[in-house]
Amino acid sequence: MEQNATLETIMRPREESAEAPDGARKVFVKTYGCQMNVYDSQRMTDALAAEGYRPAESLEEADLVLLNTCHIREKAAEKVYSELGRIRKLKEERAEAGRETLIGVAGCVAQAEGREILRRAPAVDLVIGPQTYHRLPAVVARARRGEKVVETDYALEDKFEHLPPASRGATRSRGVTAFLTVQEGCDKFCTFCVVPYTRGAEVSRPVAQIVAEAERLAEAGVREVTLLGQNVNAWHGEGPDGREWGLGRLLFRLAEIPGLDRLRYTTSHPRDMNDDLIAAHRDLPELMPYLHLPVQAGSDRVLKAMNRRHTAADYLRLVEKIRAARADIAMSGDFIVGFPGETEEDFQETLKIVREVGYAQAFSFKYSPRPGTPGAEMPLQVPDAVKDERLQRLQALLGEQQRTFAAGLVGRTINLLIEKPGRKPGQRVGRSPWLQPVIVDEKAGDIGDIVKVRITEAGANSLFAETIS
Ligand code: 5AD
Ligand code: SF4
């Protein structure tokens, strides 16, 4: 599963490009979709850095443009094709100036569309699926020789073994928080979701690999790591003892790494929330009290049709158990409105479960039929106007809960990880344990410090805090 799939990020590690030697080839990676794509874009940038490519400041100056795409909801492919149209013009302009430009499509649209991309957008030089990013340098080399390359097979070798690690400089330029993918793919087959098709079966990275990557991050100054996976709490990697470990045990191991003071993980499935993981929330101060645990819908009939394999009552019992382990945990979730067959009564059940849980943060979407998924073939597709109207009502409730949660923090003293300069001079921005941006005076501390601050005000999208003297 993917959190915040609406997020669109453009990767432009400015500090790195400032160091680029003159004449080096440059790559511009544009990232769509979830955090897993953000992580993948960084790893692709790292793989190309080993071949002499430096990050470009803008699309215009890039010798290689890579679109790292997302396929989770509708119009993703169409968006990619229209972006490719714009980039083709750029390619033509650069060609007139005697400069070659390669265009690549990566990510889930690349996996799903494959060769079709070359047919519809002949300016594209390479198409590469998420399972083969370690082959990117070889694929780019072939494309530079004039070949059109489509690389979407599932690789037999371990991608992560073959991807070069980020340089210390690259890690530093990305800040004091980092993503670390520990698990890819999904075996759950929720009937609305393309992930099992685009990202394939569930694969867990071994403990030693994850620990080595986390140590490198910590040595470069990273203070907070978010473990990523489409279904991260299903992670079951091989431990150094040759036994299979679960995510709870992995979190305990990572908390031992000096400098790594904050741990998070996303996104989880309720069925994989086992007792060890709940115990980690109880016993591990490094594990932040925030949990993204999508329920998707509140009606048992809809949950069954979605193949979620749990009921609303199961989910509520689970939340109760987690809160018994960690009272201050903030819940976050994903919701889909207008799944085929969803009636007004079913939708009322979604509103009910939202009221019962009380979410600090949430992402909600209109159901979008994805070709090849069972949901797309189901009768009783819900009209768009009904989906719109339900989404509005759900978002009004979720927005109110988010504001209530934030307002409840005013006056409280919290630990803040200072992340970056603020938008206004003299300000810095940090993250609360519950993932909210918090604005403080720059005197509160340096980037990378974890400081105690008192929340003074809850704004629309961020909190404000003062230092405690
Ligand atoms: N339509 C709407 N939302 C979807 N999601 C996944 N597939 C679809 C779809 N076909 C949502 C789910 C998931 C989040 C990443 O995106 O809520 O948890
Ligand atoms: Fe998709 Fe369901 Fe797997 Fe999440 S658990 S990635 S929603 S199939």
Side-chain angles (χ1 to χ4, degrees), residues 178-195:
F179 294 133
L180 200 176
T181 293
V182 298
Q183 179 279 333
E184 286 193 306
C186 185
D187 297 340
K188 287 281 185 293
F189 289 93
C190 300
T191 54
F192 52 80
C193 185
V194 284
V195 165

Side-chain angles (χ1 to χ4, degrees), residues 134-157:
H134 56 298
R135 296 189 190 153
L136 183 62
V139 166
V140 169
R142 279 161 64 194
R144 289 191 66 215
R145 291 196 294 270
E147 197 184 327
K148 296 273 180 186
V149 194
V150 178
E151 184 77 75
T152 49
D153 287 345
Y154 285 59
L156 287 176
E157 69 275 13

Side-chain angles (χ1 to χ4, degrees), residues 1-2 72-73 192 296 334 336 365-368 370:
M1 244 174 309
E2 296 165 46
I72 198 94
R73 273 174 299 276
F192 52 80
Q296 312 293 359
D334 289 340
I336 296 178
F365 313 99
K366 288 193 284 183
Y367 171 67
S368 152
R370 311 311 295 134

